[in-house]
Amino acid sequence: MGTVSGMGERAIIASITEAFGSASASEASHPKAGTGGADGLAQVLSRVVVANGDDAAVVAANARMVFTMDTSVEGQDFMLTWPSGAKTDARLLGFKCAAQNLSDINAMGARTRYLLVSLSFPGDIEETWPAEFAAGMRQACDELGAPGAELIGGDVSAAESVAVSITAIGELGADSTPLVRSAAQPGDGVYLAGRIPGISGTALNELLSPQVGGLRASEAEPQRALAAHFVPAPPLAVGPALAAREHRIASIDTSDGVVRDATRIAQASDVAVALDEAVINSFAAQLAESWNLTAQEARHNVLYGGEDFNLLFTLPAGAEAPSIDGVAIRRIGTVEQLSQPDTRSGTEPGAYIAGRRLDETLGFDHYSGV
Ligand SMILES: Nc1ncnc2c1ncn2[C@@H]1O[C@H](COP(=O)(O)OP(=O)(O)OP(=O)(O)O)[C@@H](O)[C@H]1O
Ligand SMILES: Cc1ncc(C[n+]2csc(CCOP(=O)(O)O)c2C)c(N)n1
Ligand SMILES: [Mg+2]
């Protein structure tokens, strides 16, 4: 098979836009405002006026639009060939890079409508690589619940290694409130929607474990680790459903680990997030069982493993957690006031378990120096 070298930018871009295709059915076929259900499901308040292919795209909007971007760099955020020997194909990478942007839009309570993607890669990658990457992005949008997302622009450039930067633009429902990190108050319940935390981090550890003659799980099951890490399940129905509620709700997606992201809510809201030890232990037991970890490893990964892209949110006491088909939503703790004699939390905003402050620096940070 040939490489991208000699294809020319024009043909590469055409292969990307063709592979991403146009938005699939559900949302696109209900383009009028107000046609959605109570959670604003099919509500579409903006439209493309000048599509991909010109100097820039033009969108007409009659809504509050939500913007985010995320960059993934080979060696820092993924490897094409892992120390375990597993290989990341373009489709998997496209899926994950799209999913992490869809997750940030979800964490604000919005639905992703538009994507822009900047791709840099060496000339010797296969000519089908950019299109496969775009097909992975499309798959993430369709399977995770953003079927109306359109690719309105991007860029391609050559580089010695692969780097991806995606911008996602979402739309907030007409009667929705953005889900900010600073809205938590003492007494609120803390909830987690999505998979058991720690799955992605556990799979990452497997991918990063060097092959050593023996029987590593990553050798036996590289596909399992690749899927667990590269196919996250951000619960895209939950953010918009929460934002459509009357309640005061804080939310964040768990990209850097439960503790680090809970700490971000705690700091933005000036509160303590007290995690329920029994719930954390039960997550750890399930993770230990399915990934053959020690209890200690499992607990560490539940608390500090990154890139699960679950939704961590608060609800005022008495407010019922939403019930959404196919999504596990569990109460994992309580928001507490800082340094009150009747609570076991400390004086510093942060995440706590049984009165002990959890060290958020154990979560992921590109520049932590470890
Ligand atoms: N280079 C930058 N210039 C301007 N703002 C930035 C830059 N890098 C990050 N930010 C902003 O800093 C804020 C905090 O970033 P943080 O990493 O906590 O959140 P995030 O973008 O949700 O992370 P994640 O991608 O892990 O979900 C975000 O609002 C982000 O847009
Ligand atoms: C090779 C390799 N090394 C380390 C990691 C771990 N990692 C990278 S980015 C990130 C958090 C989210 O990033 P951001 O905050 O930029 O969205 C985590 C936990 C990885 N995936 N691959
Ligand atoms: Mg985020």
Side-chain angles (χ1 to χ4, degrees), residues 104 181 253 255:
D104 273 320
R181 297 176 182 183
D253 66 319
S255 53

Side-chain angles (χ1 to χ4, degrees), residues 212-231:
V212 283
L215 280 171
R216 285 199 169 274
S218 54
E219 277 181 67
E221 298 180 338
Q223 292 312 318
R224 183 182 185 218
L226 284 170
H229 184 70
F230 282 95
V231 188

Side-chain angles (χ1 to χ4, degrees), residues 70-71 75-79 82 96 100 104 204 208 229 255-256 305-307 309 364 366:
D70 238 301
T71 299
Q76 297 296 321
D77 301 293
F78 65 89
M79 293 184 181
W82 294 86
K96 183 182 171 214
Q100 74 190 98
D104 273 320
L204 175 66
L208 286 168
H229 184 70
S255 53
D256 297 327
E307 300 175 282
F309 305 110
F364 187 79
H366 278 112

Side-chain angles (χ1 to χ4, degrees), residues 184-186 265-267 269-273 335-338 348-350 352:
Q185 286 182 14
I265 285 193
Q267 289 172 338
S269 302
D270 202 27
V271 294
V273 170
V335 177
E336 293 183 355
Q337 204 164 339
L338 295 173
E348 285 285 306
Y352 290 79

Side-chain angles (χ1 to χ4, degrees), residues 9-259:
E9 280 186 27
R10 195 185 153 97
I12 293 171
I13 294 168
S15 78
I16 291 170
T17 52
E18 193 189 317
F20 189 84
S22 46
S24 60
S26 50
E27 278 193 44
S29 61
H30 301 288
K32 283 216 202 88
T35 52
D39 69 347
L41 241 157
Q43 200 173 47
V44 173
L45 298 167
S46 65
R47 68 191 167 80
V48 176
V49 178
V50 177
N52 193 341
D54 219 302
D55 294 301
V58 179
V59 166
N62 185 21
R64 288 159 300 165
M65 307 302 283
V66 180
F67 300 80
T68 184
M69 79 179 305
D70 238 301
T71 299
S72 295
V73 173
E74 186 182 352
Q76 297 296 321
D77 301 293
F78 65 89
M79 293 184 181
L80 294 179
T81 301
W82 294 86
S84 62
K87 288 191 192 305
T88 306
D89 66 38
R91 188 179 276 262
L92 278 178
L93 186 62
F95 192 103
K96 183 182 171 214
C97 291
Q100 74 190 98
N101 280 275
L102 299 173
S103 173
D104 273 320
I105 297 288
N106 185 43
M108 298 309 294
R111 302 189 154 269
T112 301
R113 296 277 293 121
Y114 310 107
L115 296 171
L116 296 102
V117 59
S118 166
L119 279 178
S120 312
F121 40 78
D124 63 358
I125 62 164
E126 287 176 358
E127 62 190 358
T128 53
W129 198 95
E132 275 296 302
F133 181 93
M137 288 178 61
R138 174 83 263 163
Q139 197 181 341
C141 293
D142 290 347
E143 292 180 4
L144 296 173
E150 297 178 68
L151 184 62
I152 60 169
D155 196 15
V156 294
S157 188
E160 280 176 21
S161 53
V162 175
V164 181
S165 199
I166 296 181
T167 296
I169 302 168
E171 215 180 87
L172 204 58
D175 300 317
S176 296
T177 311
L179 305 174
V180 294
R181 297 176 182 183
S182 56
Q185 286 182 14
D188 291 354
V190 179
Y191 297 82
L192 190 70
R195 306 190 296 192
I196 303 256
I199 291 179
S200 182
T202 300
L204 175 66
N205 288 344
E206 285 207 6
L207 294 171
L208 286 168
S209 304
Q211 263 175 332
V212 283
L215 280 171
R216 285 199 169 274
S218 54
E219 277 181 67
E221 298 180 338
Q223 292 312 318
R224 183 182 185 218
L226 284 170
H229 184 70
F230 282 95
V231 188
L236 300 191
V238 179
L242 292 173
R245 287 189 163 195
E246 305 274 290
H247 303 120
R248 171 183 48 71
I249 296 170
S251 118
I252 189 168
D253 66 319
T254 58
S255 53
D256 297 327
V258 167
V259 168

Side-chain angles (χ1 to χ4, degrees), residues 294-313:
T294 65
Q296 210 181 355
E297 283 171 332
R299 184 184 161 94
H300 182 91
N301 292 357
V302 163
L303 292 172
Y304 302 107
E307 300 175 282
D308 281 313
F309 305 110
N310 290 327
L311 195 67
L312 180 67
F313 62 94

